[in-house]
Amino acid sequence: SVAETLLSSSQSQEVAKPLLAVRTPQVLLKKNQTIPIEAVIEGKGVKASAVDLTIKYDPKKLALVASGSAKPFAASPLFQKTVYNAFDAKTGLATMSAVSETEISLPDLATLTTMVFRILQTGPTEITIVFTPGETRDTNIVSESKDILGSVENLPLNIQP
């Protein structure tokens, strides 16, 4: 039926929304350690021309270690230009924006950027992606001037003494 066709096509469009996640390969976390954090995109083959990533962390527990250029995020291997790359160590907010001149096809799984944190205190904490669906002023993936980011995965951490 037409209704079933419309329903299945709308469901497949829902499935095609990309996911953005923060992850670490580090399993055991201890105070004073530096840990690599990756922001990864599960792109599902959708097309995009830009991405904004804003993360929040507890600055009492974690310190974002800037690279040699005093930038918190490594250049994105997916997008041609990183146009904004900054953080506020007091508030625990970091933001990057990257663009491509033409839309690119996002792979099933790819690293958007990497960053490094130093662990300051023990106990539970989290690196969160600041995200509101459809909002273009926080974390988003842009295709044809619309936010197509479907969901995010934050990174809970438990730091041992």
Side-chain angles (χ1 to χ4, degrees), residues 53-96:
L53 172 64
T54 300
I55 60 162
K56 184 154 184 56
Y57 59 94
D58 182 346
K60 292 181 184 123
K61 295 203 173 186
L62 299 170
L64 188 51
V65 180
S67 64
S69 60
K71 302 291 183 199
F73 298 97
S76 175
L78 288 177
F79 293 87
Q80 292 171 323
K81 289 183 194 163
T82 300
V83 293
Y84 188 79
N85 190 345
F87 72 110
D88 184 331
K90 289 186 176 109
T91 63
L93 274 174
T95 302
M96 75 160 302

mmCIF file of all heavy atoms in Angstrom, residues 53-96:
data_model
loop_
_atom_site.group_PDB
_atom_site.id
_atom_site.type_symbol
_atom_site.label_atom_id
_atom_site.label_comp_id
_atom_site.label_asym_id
_atom_site.label_seq_id
_atom_site.Cartn_x
_atom_site.Cartn_y
_atom_site.Cartn_z
ATOM 1 N N LEU A 53 31.393 20.964 16.608
ATOM 2 C CA LEU A 53 31.460 20.074 17.761
ATOM 3 C C LEU A 53 31.739 20.919 18.996
ATOM 4 O O LEU A 53 32.722 21.642 19.040
ATOM 5 C CB LEU A 53 32.576 19.043 17.585
ATOM 6 C CG LEU A 53 32.898 18.164 18.803
ATOM 7 C CD1 LEU A 53 31.717 17.281 19.170
ATOM 8 C CD2 LEU A 53 34.145 17.330 18.542
ATOM 9 N N THR A 54 30.853 20.832 19.984
ATOM 10 C CA THR A 54 31.072 21.484 21.279
ATOM 11 C C THR A 54 31.022 20.405 22.342
ATOM 12 O O THR A 54 30.051 19.651 22.415
ATOM 13 C CB THR A 54 30.004 22.559 21.562
ATOM 14 O OG1 THR A 54 30.073 23.550 20.534
ATOM 15 C CG2 THR A 54 30.244 23.220 22.917
ATOM 16 N N ILE A 55 32.093 20.330 23.121
ATOM 17 C CA ILE A 55 32.131 19.358 24.215
ATOM 18 C C ILE A 55 32.224 20.095 25.540
ATOM 19 O O ILE A 55 32.734 21.217 25.611
ATOM 20 C CB ILE A 55 33.291 18.351 24.084
ATOM 21 C CG1 ILE A 55 34.650 19.077 24.091
ATOM 22 C CG2 ILE A 55 33.127 17.474 22.860
ATOM 23 C CD1 ILE A 55 35.801 18.177 24.391
ATOM 24 N N LYS A 56 31.728 19.446 26.575
ATOM 25 C CA LYS A 56 31.793 19.992 27.931
ATOM 26 C C LYS A 56 32.418 18.934 28.825
ATOM 27 O O LYS A 56 32.149 17.747 28.685
ATOM 28 C CB LYS A 56 30.387 20.335 28.420
ATOM 29 C CG LYS A 56 30.392 20.992 29.800
ATOM 30 C CD LYS A 56 29.186 21.877 30.005
ATOM 31 C CE LYS A 56 29.218 22.599 31.316
ATOM 32 N NZ LYS A 56 30.374 23.413 31.594
ATOM 33 N N TYR A 57 33.287 19.402 29.723
ATOM 34 C CA TYR A 57 33.950 18.508 30.676
ATOM 35 C C TYR A 57 34.124 19.254 31.989
ATOM 36 O O TYR A 57 34.032 20.485 32.038
ATOM 37 C CB TYR A 57 35.298 18.027 30.121
ATOM 38 C CG TYR A 57 36.259 19.154 29.814
ATOM 39 C CD1 TYR A 57 37.201 19.576 30.749
ATOM 40 C CD2 TYR A 57 36.206 19.831 28.600
ATOM 41 C CE1 TYR A 57 38.063 20.636 30.480
ATOM 42 C CE2 TYR A 57 37.059 20.893 28.330
ATOM 43 C CZ TYR A 57 37.995 21.280 29.273
ATOM 44 O OH TYR A 57 38.836 22.331 28.999
ATOM 45 N N ASP A 58 34.375 18.510 33.069
ATOM 46 C CA ASP A 58 34.579 19.117 34.383
ATOM 47 C C ASP A 58 36.036 19.558 34.506
ATOM 48 O O ASP A 58 36.932 18.714 34.597
ATOM 49 C CB ASP A 58 34.230 18.107 35.477
ATOM 50 C CG ASP A 58 34.361 18.681 36.879
ATOM 51 O OD1 ASP A 58 34.961 19.764 37.051
ATOM 52 O OD2 ASP A 58 33.858 18.035 37.815
ATOM 53 N N PRO A 59 36.295 20.871 34.506
ATOM 54 C CA PRO A 59 37.682 21.343 34.544
ATOM 55 C C PRO A 59 38.398 21.072 35.875
ATOM 56 O O PRO A 59 39.606 21.236 35.961
ATOM 57 C CB PRO A 59 37.565 22.847 34.265
ATOM 58 C CG PRO A 59 36.177 23.201 34.637
ATOM 59 C CD PRO A 59 35.338 21.975 34.431
ATOM 60 N N LYS A 60 37.645 20.623 36.884
ATOM 61 C CA LYS A 60 38.297 20.226 38.137
ATOM 62 C C LYS A 60 38.860 18.813 38.028
ATOM 63 O O LYS A 60 39.774 18.455 38.762
ATOM 64 C CB LYS A 60 37.304 20.292 39.300
ATOM 65 C CG LYS A 60 36.871 21.696 39.639
ATOM 66 C CD LYS A 60 35.902 21.693 40.804
ATOM 67 C CE LYS A 60 35.420 23.107 41.042
ATOM 68 N NZ LYS A 60 33.966 23.218 40.975
ATOM 69 N N LYS A 61 38.297 18.025 37.116
ATOM 70 C CA LYS A 61 38.724 16.627 36.978
ATOM 71 C C LYS A 61 39.581 16.374 35.739
ATOM 72 O O LYS A 61 40.392 15.457 35.727
ATOM 73 C CB LYS A 61 37.506 15.709 36.947
ATOM 74 C CG LYS A 61 36.755 15.744 38.269
ATOM 75 C CD LYS A 61 35.937 14.521 38.477
ATOM 76 C CE LYS A 61 35.371 14.569 39.893
ATOM 77 N NZ LYS A 61 34.674 13.387 40.257
ATOM 78 N N LEU A 62 39.369 17.182 34.696
ATOM 79 C CA LEU A 62 40.083 16.984 33.434
ATOM 80 C C LEU A 62 40.635 18.303 32.917
ATOM 81 O O LEU A 62 40.000 19.338 33.073
ATOM 82 C CB LEU A 62 39.139 16.409 32.371
ATOM 83 C CG LEU A 62 38.501 15.059 32.643
ATOM 84 C CD1 LEU A 62 37.418 14.777 31.604
ATOM 85 C CD2 LEU A 62 39.535 13.954 32.642
ATOM 86 N N ALA A 63 41.806 18.235 32.297
ATOM 87 C CA ALA A 63 42.380 19.407 31.629
ATOM 88 C C ALA A 63 42.596 19.054 30.166
ATOM 89 O O ALA A 63 43.213 18.025 29.855
ATOM 90 C CB ALA A 63 43.704 19.798 32.273
ATOM 91 N N LEU A 64 42.070 19.872 29.283
ATOM 92 C CA LEU A 64 42.279 19.668 27.853
ATOM 93 C C LEU A 64 43.680 20.156 27.521
ATOM 94 O O LEU A 64 44.038 21.292 27.827
ATOM 95 C CB LEU A 64 41.216 20.435 27.066
ATOM 96 C CG LEU A 64 41.133 20.221 25.570
ATOM 97 C CD1 LEU A 64 41.071 18.752 25.203
ATOM 98 C CD2 LEU A 64 39.920 20.933 25.020
ATOM 99 N N VAL A 65 44.479 19.292 26.939
ATOM 100 C CA VAL A 65 45.870 19.616 26.621
ATOM 101 C C VAL A 65 45.902 20.137 25.192
ATOM 102 O O VAL A 65 45.586 19.400 24.254
ATOM 103 C CB VAL A 65 46.767 18.367 26.765
ATOM 104 C CG1 VAL A 65 48.212 18.703 26.425
ATOM 105 C CG2 VAL A 65 46.653 17.789 28.164
ATOM 106 N N ALA A 66 46.277 21.391 25.036
ATOM 107 C CA ALA A 66 46.336 21.985 23.701
ATOM 108 C C ALA A 66 47.553 21.454 22.960
ATOM 109 O O ALA A 66 48.567 21.114 23.554
ATOM 110 C CB ALA A 66 46.400 23.507 23.808
ATOM 111 N N SER A 67 47.423 21.380 21.637
ATOM 112 C CA SER A 67 48.555 20.962 20.809
ATOM 113 C C SER A 67 49.557 22.107 20.745
ATOM 114 O O SER A 67 49.350 23.169 21.329
ATOM 115 C CB SER A 67 48.056 20.601 19.412
ATOM 116 O OG SER A 67 47.510 21.744 18.785
ATOM 117 N N GLY A 68 50.636 21.926 20.011
ATOM 118 C CA GLY A 68 51.690 22.937 19.917
ATOM 119 C C GLY A 68 51.192 24.284 19.437
ATOM 120 O O GLY A 68 51.753 25.319 19.762
ATOM 121 N N SER A 69 50.096 24.291 18.668
ATOM 122 C CA SER A 69 49.551 25.545 18.155
ATOM 123 C C SER A 69 48.508 26.130 19.104
ATOM 124 O O SER A 69 47.781 27.035 18.740
ATOM 125 C CB SER A 69 48.934 25.310 16.782
ATOM 126 O OG SER A 69 47.888 24.363 16.888
ATOM 127 N N ALA A 70 48.429 25.590 20.337
ATOM 128 C CA ALA A 70 47.477 26.038 21.366
ATOM 129 C C ALA A 70 46.032 25.777 20.948
ATOM 130 O O ALA A 70 45.124 26.447 21.385
ATOM 131 C CB ALA A 70 47.695 27.501 21.730
ATOM 132 N N LYS A 71 45.837 24.805 20.081
ATOM 133 C CA LYS A 71 44.501 24.424 19.635
ATOM 134 C C LYS A 71 44.133 23.095 20.292
ATOM 135 O O LYS A 71 44.942 22.174 20.316
ATOM 136 C CB LYS A 71 44.453 24.261 18.111
ATOM 137 C CG LYS A 71 44.871 25.506 17.351
ATOM 138 C CD LYS A 71 43.872 26.605 17.493
ATOM 139 C CE LYS A 71 44.257 27.814 16.680
ATOM 140 N NZ LYS A 71 43.598 29.015 17.111
ATOM 141 N N PRO A 72 42.905 22.964 20.795
ATOM 142 C CA PRO A 72 42.539 21.728 21.492
ATOM 143 C C PRO A 72 42.249 20.533 20.583
ATOM 144 O O PRO A 72 42.444 19.395 20.972
ATOM 145 C CB PRO A 72 41.281 22.122 22.257
ATOM 146 C CG PRO A 72 40.699 23.244 21.483
ATOM 147 C CD PRO A 72 41.868 23.984 20.883
ATOM 148 N N PHE A 73 41.802 20.793 19.353
ATOM 149 C CA PHE A 73 41.398 19.712 18.459
ATOM 150 C C PHE A 73 42.405 19.550 17.329
ATOM 151 O O PHE A 73 42.859 20.537 16.759
ATOM 152 C CB PHE A 73 40.032 20.004 17.829
ATOM 153 C CG PHE A 73 38.918 20.124 18.826
ATOM 154 C CD1 PHE A 73 38.501 21.365 19.282
ATOM 155 C CD2 PHE A 73 38.268 18.997 19.310
ATOM 156 C CE1 PHE A 73 37.462 21.487 20.196
ATOM 157 C CE2 PHE A 73 37.225 19.097 20.222
ATOM 158 C CZ PHE A 73 36.826 20.342 20.671
ATOM 159 N N ALA A 74 42.718 18.306 16.980
ATOM 160 C CA ALA A 74 43.542 18.043 15.799
ATOM 161 C C ALA A 74 42.725 18.373 14.555
ATOM 162 O O ALA A 74 41.492 18.319 14.582
ATOM 163 C CB ALA A 74 43.967 16.574 15.783
ATOM 164 N N ALA A 75 43.401 18.725 13.461
ATOM 165 C CA ALA A 75 42.712 19.024 12.207
ATOM 166 C C ALA A 75 41.873 17.819 11.794
ATOM 167 O O ALA A 75 42.276 16.670 11.979
ATOM 168 C CB ALA A 75 43.719 19.365 11.120
ATOM 169 N N SER A 76 40.714 18.081 11.247
ATOM 170 C CA SER A 76 39.802 17.014 10.843
ATOM 171 C C SER A 76 40.277 16.365 9.549
ATOM 172 O O SER A 76 40.502 17.054 8.561
ATOM 173 C CB SER A 76 38.391 17.565 10.642
ATOM 174 O OG SER A 76 37.555 16.549 10.137
ATOM 175 N N PRO A 77 40.420 15.028 9.540
ATOM 176 C CA PRO A 77 40.767 14.363 8.290
ATOM 177 C C PRO A 77 39.588 14.278 7.308
ATOM 178 O O PRO A 77 39.773 14.015 6.133
ATOM 179 C CB PRO A 77 41.193 12.957 8.738
ATOM 180 C CG PRO A 77 40.550 12.747 10.058
ATOM 181 C CD PRO A 77 40.364 14.100 10.674
ATOM 182 N N LEU A 78 38.377 14.546 7.787
ATOM 183 C CA LEU A 78 37.189 14.446 6.939
ATOM 184 C C LEU A 78 36.890 15.733 6.177
ATOM 185 O O LEU A 78 36.525 15.706 5.015
ATOM 186 C CB LEU A 78 35.951 14.115 7.781
ATOM 187 C CG LEU A 78 35.845 12.716 8.355
ATOM 188 C CD1 LEU A 78 34.596 12.605 9.224
ATOM 189 C CD2 LEU A 78 35.807 11.691 7.249
ATOM 190 N N PHE A 79 37.004 16.874 6.857
ATOM 191 C CA PHE A 79 36.632 18.157 6.275
ATOM 192 C C PHE A 79 37.888 18.938 5.908
ATOM 193 O O PHE A 79 38.897 18.851 6.580
ATOM 194 C CB PHE A 79 35.749 18.954 7.249
ATOM 195 C CG PHE A 79 34.403 18.311 7.472
ATOM 196 C CD1 PHE A 79 34.233 17.343 8.446
ATOM 197 C CD2 PHE A 79 33.326 18.667 6.689
ATOM 198 C CE1 PHE A 79 32.998 16.731 8.646
ATOM 199 C CE2 PHE A 79 32.074 18.068 6.884
ATOM 200 C CZ PHE A 79 31.921 17.097 7.855
ATOM 201 N N GLN A 80 37.815 19.750 4.837
ATOM 202 C CA GLN A 80 38.993 20.422 4.292
ATOM 203 C C GLN A 80 39.611 21.451 5.235
ATOM 204 O O GLN A 80 40.825 21.535 5.337
ATOM 205 C CB GLN A 80 38.638 21.111 2.969
ATOM 206 C CG GLN A 80 38.329 20.130 1.862
ATOM 207 C CD GLN A 80 37.775 20.822 0.634
ATOM 208 O OE1 GLN A 80 37.015 21.780 0.737
ATOM 209 N NE2 GLN A 80 38.145 20.320 -0.521
ATOM 210 N N LYS A 81 38.779 22.236 5.904
ATOM 211 C CA LYS A 81 39.318 23.332 6.719
ATOM 212 C C LYS A 81 38.696 23.335 8.109
ATOM 213 O O LYS A 81 37.481 23.235 8.243
ATOM 214 C CB LYS A 81 38.994 24.690 6.086
ATOM 215 C CG LYS A 81 39.723 25.010 4.837
ATOM 216 C CD LYS A 81 39.340 26.426 4.385
ATOM 217 C CE LYS A 81 39.790 26.665 2.961
ATOM 218 N NZ LYS A 81 39.124 27.787 2.361
ATOM 219 N N THR A 82 39.544 23.481 9.124
ATOM 220 C CA THR A 82 39.047 23.717 10.476
ATOM 221 C C THR A 82 39.031 25.235 10.636
ATOM 222 O O THR A 82 40.074 25.878 10.607
ATOM 223 C CB THR A 82 39.955 23.054 11.531
ATOM 224 O OG1 THR A 82 39.979 21.642 11.268
ATOM 225 C CG2 THR A 82 39.439 23.293 12.939
ATOM 226 N N VAL A 83 37.835 25.805 10.766
ATOM 227 C CA VAL A 83 37.699 27.260 10.763
ATOM 228 C C VAL A 83 37.576 27.848 12.169
ATOM 229 O O VAL A 83 37.715 29.056 12.345
ATOM 230 C CB VAL A 83 36.512 27.722 9.887
ATOM 231 C CG1 VAL A 83 36.799 27.426 8.424
ATOM 232 C CG2 VAL A 83 35.212 27.088 10.328
ATOM 233 N N TYR A 84 37.318 26.991 13.165
ATOM 234 C CA TYR A 84 37.257 27.471 14.549
ATOM 235 C C TYR A 84 37.750 26.334 15.430
ATOM 236 O O TYR A 84 37.394 25.176 15.222
ATOM 237 C CB TYR A 84 35.826 27.868 14.943
ATOM 238 C CG TYR A 84 35.749 28.538 16.299
ATOM 239 C CD1 TYR A 84 36.080 29.880 16.452
ATOM 240 C CD2 TYR A 84 35.378 27.812 17.425
ATOM 241 C CE1 TYR A 84 36.032 30.487 17.700
ATOM 242 C CE2 TYR A 84 35.322 28.417 18.681
ATOM 243 C CZ TYR A 84 35.660 29.754 18.804
ATOM 244 O OH TYR A 84 35.621 30.352 20.040
ATOM 245 N N ASN A 85 38.588 26.673 16.415
ATOM 246 C CA ASN A 85 39.220 25.645 17.225
ATOM 247 C C ASN A 85 39.682 26.307 18.518
ATOM 248 O O ASN A 85 40.732 26.915 18.561
ATOM 249 C CB ASN A 85 40.404 25.073 16.439
ATOM 250 C CG ASN A 85 40.998 23.836 17.070
ATOM 251 O OD1 ASN A 85 40.747 23.516 18.224
ATOM 252 N ND2 ASN A 85 41.820 23.140 16.304
ATOM 253 N N ALA A 86 38.871 26.227 19.577
ATOM 254 C CA ALA A 86 39.204 26.948 20.806
ATOM 255 C C ALA A 86 38.580 26.274 22.015
ATOM 256 O O ALA A 86 37.661 25.465 21.882
ATOM 257 C CB ALA A 86 38.715 28.393 20.710
ATOM 258 N N PHE A 87 39.101 26.622 23.204
ATOM 259 C CA PHE A 87 38.508 26.092 24.429
ATOM 260 C C PHE A 87 38.667 27.084 25.559
ATOM 261 O O PHE A 87 39.490 27.996 25.496
ATOM 262 C CB PHE A 87 39.113 24.733 24.799
ATOM 263 C CG PHE A 87 40.534 24.767 25.309
ATOM 264 C CD1 PHE A 87 40.802 24.500 26.642
ATOM 265 C CD2 PHE A 87 41.599 25.028 24.462
ATOM 266 C CE1 PHE A 87 42.104 24.505 27.124
ATOM 267 C CE2 PHE A 87 42.898 25.032 24.928
ATOM 268 C CZ PHE A 87 43.148 24.765 26.262
ATOM 269 N N ASP A 88 37.847 26.905 26.586
ATOM 270 C CA ASP A 88 37.902 27.723 27.786
ATOM 271 C C ASP A 88 38.184 26.771 28.950
ATOM 272 O O ASP A 88 37.307 26.011 29.362
ATOM 273 C CB ASP A 88 36.573 28.455 27.980
ATOM 274 C CG ASP A 88 36.598 29.416 29.165
ATOM 275 O OD1 ASP A 88 37.347 29.163 30.140
ATOM 276 O OD2 ASP A 88 35.857 30.408 29.128
ATOM 277 N N ALA A 89 39.394 26.824 29.456
ATOM 278 C CA ALA A 89 39.826 25.906 30.519
ATOM 279 C C ALA A 89 39.057 26.137 31.822
ATOM 280 O O ALA A 89 38.911 25.222 32.623
ATOM 281 C CB ALA A 89 41.325 26.053 30.753
ATOM 282 N N LYS A 90 38.554 27.343 32.032
ATOM 283 C CA LYS A 90 37.815 27.638 33.270
ATOM 284 C C LYS A 90 36.415 27.024 33.266
ATOM 285 O O LYS A 90 35.950 26.515 34.271
ATOM 286 C CB LYS A 90 37.716 29.150 33.485
ATOM 287 C CG LYS A 90 39.043 29.780 33.873
ATOM 288 C CD LYS A 90 38.876 31.244 34.220
ATOM 289 C CE LYS A 90 40.185 31.816 34.694
ATOM 290 N NZ LYS A 90 40.795 32.733 33.739
ATOM 291 N N THR A 91 35.722 27.113 32.129
ATOM 292 C CA THR A 91 34.348 26.603 32.057
ATOM 293 C C THR A 91 34.279 25.149 31.607
ATOM 294 O O THR A 91 33.239 24.510 31.752
ATOM 295 C CB THR A 91 33.495 27.442 31.091
ATOM 296 O OG1 THR A 91 34.043 27.328 29.776
ATOM 297 C CG2 THR A 91 33.432 28.888 31.523
ATOM 298 N N GLY A 92 35.367 24.638 31.016
ATOM 299 C CA GLY A 92 35.346 23.273 30.514
ATOM 300 C C GLY A 92 34.546 23.117 29.235
ATOM 301 O O GLY A 92 33.910 22.097 29.014
ATOM 302 N N LEU A 93 34.595 24.126 28.376
ATOM 303 C CA LEU A 93 33.925 24.062 27.074
ATOM 304 C C LEU A 93 34.961 24.148 25.961
ATOM 305 O O LEU A 93 35.883 24.966 26.036
ATOM 306 C CB LEU A 93 32.949 25.225 26.902
ATOM 307 C CG LEU A 93 31.543 25.053 27.449
ATOM 308 C CD1 LEU A 93 30.758 26.353 27.315
ATOM 309 C CD2 LEU A 93 30.800 23.929 26.755
ATOM 310 N N ALA A 94 34.807 23.308 24.942
ATOM 311 C CA ALA A 94 35.698 23.351 23.784
ATOM 312 C C ALA A 94 34.851 23.211 22.529
ATOM 313 O O ALA A 94 33.893 22.433 22.500
ATOM 314 C CB ALA A 94 36.723 22.232 23.864
ATOM 315 N N THR A 95 35.200 23.986 21.492
ATOM 316 C CA THR A 95 34.414 24.001 20.258
ATOM 317 C C THR A 95 35.325 23.980 19.040
ATOM 318 O O THR A 95 36.365 24.641 19.021
ATOM 319 C CB THR A 95 33.531 25.266 20.190
ATOM 320 O OG1 THR A 95 32.676 25.279 21.337
ATOM 321 C CG2 THR A 95 32.675 25.291 18.936
ATOM 322 N N MET A 96 34.913 23.214 18.056
ATOM 323 C CA MET A 96 35.580 23.257 16.749
ATOM 324 C C MET A 96 34.525 23.326 15.665
ATOM 325 O O MET A 96 33.401 22.833 15.839
ATOM 326 C CB MET A 96 36.469 22.033 16.519
ATOM 327 C CG MET A 96 35.687 20.775 16.213
ATOM 328 S SD MET A 96 36.592 19.445 15.395
ATOM 329 C CE MET A 96 37.192 20.167 13.925
#
